[in-house]
Amino acid sequence: MTYTGERSINSNAFGLPDSTIDAYTVLDAAVSYDVENWNVQLNLRNLTDETYYVKALFIGGLPGDSRNAKLTVRYTF
């Protein structure tokens, strides 16, 4: 779980009004399985498909990743 608090955009220097980017919480999970020389890992990010902004910009924010998954299979010899 990752929590990021509210952030402000101080843009007075650019003639834009001050504003804030809302706080957000993103839930991630992972599971890994090892057998002999094999490793299989599944990573799940943003399980609740939260809409959030990872970076405050002067005209809004940079959107964060939507729900996604990554499957990795490794073989060691």
Side-chain angles (χ1 to χ4, degrees):
M1 179 171 82
T2 303
Y3 171 79
T4 302
E6 182 178 86
R7 291 147 297 151
S8 66
I9 302 170
N10 185 350
S11 54
N12 286 334
F14 296 96
L16 300 171
D18 287 338
S19 61
T20 59
I21 299 292
D22 293 335
Y24 65 88
T25 301
V26 176
L27 300 174
D28 300 330
V31 62
S32 179
Y33 183 71
D34 292 309
V35 59
E36 296 180 15
N37 296 349
W38 292 92
N39 170 267
V40 178
Q41 183 171 334
L42 177 64
N43 295 77
L44 304 169
R45 298 197 61 211
N46 196 1
L47 293 173
T48 59
D49 205 19
E50 177 80 14
T51 299
Y52 64 100
Y53 296 94
V54 294
K55 186 173 184 180
L57 302 172
F58 294 114
I59 56 173
L62 179 65
D65 292 334
S66 59
R67 182 185 304 132
N68 63 81
K70 177 182 176 183
L71 178 65
T72 305
V73 178
R74 294 186 183 111
Y75 179 79
T76 307
F77 53 96

